[in-house]
Amino acid sequence: MNKTSFRLDALESPDRYKLLSGLIVPRPIGWIGTRRSDGSNNLAPFSFFNLVSSSPPTVLFSGGRHPDRPKDTVALAGETGVFTVNIVSEEVAQAMAVTSERYEADVDEFAIAGLTAVPGTVVDAPMVEESPANLECRVVEIVDLGDQGVSRLVIGEVIALHVSDEVLDGTRIDNDGLRAVGRMAGNTYIHTRDRFALP
Ligand SMILES: Cc1cc2nc3c(=O)[nH]c(=O)nc-3n(C[C@H](O)[C@H](O)[C@H](O)COP(=O)(O)O)c2cc1C
């Protein structure tokens, strides 16, 4: 197999992004809800996101910067110590994309995307009612990536979760009911309907 090789430190940032985000696919999407100090809500998707342990139950996501400020989600998770993760199903994928646009720091993305914010039951952060499942999380640690403060990794412990009865069978999740979507390169996404089993 002929392969072209790249040294990551010799690449321009957009090329690094294109190569890495095109290769590490599909990526799950953490749709992260946070609360501002004035009580208003913030919501944005992050595909640098994953479940990294179930014991302790741990998720993480990383956020970069807007041109003028850090991503609000990262800043607010740091300030409040909590966040929610909302599962992106096919039904809410369009709304998810709307919440990813860059708005002023005080805009409520729930209202803009026509979504219903439900208060967390154990953390003070909003959940997306229309998502088939929601995780309530407490920040465990925030790690600066690199020495420029460009990107920050937020590690969280899942304290509680809420799953629609339509996708729940005991503690087993029905993939067909969940209809989760993942992110591929750029603006492309993937359904989770075409699966296969490996013994
Ligand atoms: C599917 C998807 C995944 C995204 N993943 C990330 C990510 O992992 N890290 C990041 O910094 N921005 C990511 N973005 C962009 C943010 O969602 C966007 O910058 C948003 O405005 C951040 O909002 P905030 O300032 O309220 O945090 C993603 C956008 C989309 C559509």
Side-chain angles (χ1 to χ4, degrees), residues 32-36 40-43 72-73 76-77 82-84 125-126:
I32 312 285
T34 45
R35 185 96 75 205
R36 300 192 189 94
S40 64
N41 298 320
N42 187 74
L43 180 68
D72 298 335
T73 303
L76 291 169
V82 294
F83 62 92
T84 67

Side-chain angles (χ1 to χ4, degrees), residues 42 44-48 62-64 66 71-73 100-101 183 189:
N42 187 74
F46 290 78
S47 69
F48 292 162
S62 89
H66 293 299
K71 300 279 168 112
D72 298 335
T73 303
S100 78
E101 285 169 39
R183 189 174 192 193
Y189 295 86

Side-chain angles (χ1 to χ4, degrees), residues 65 144-152:
R65 295 179 58 86
D144 281 327
L145 301 177
D147 51 13
Q148 316 272 317
V150 178
S151 226
R152 303 189 88 192

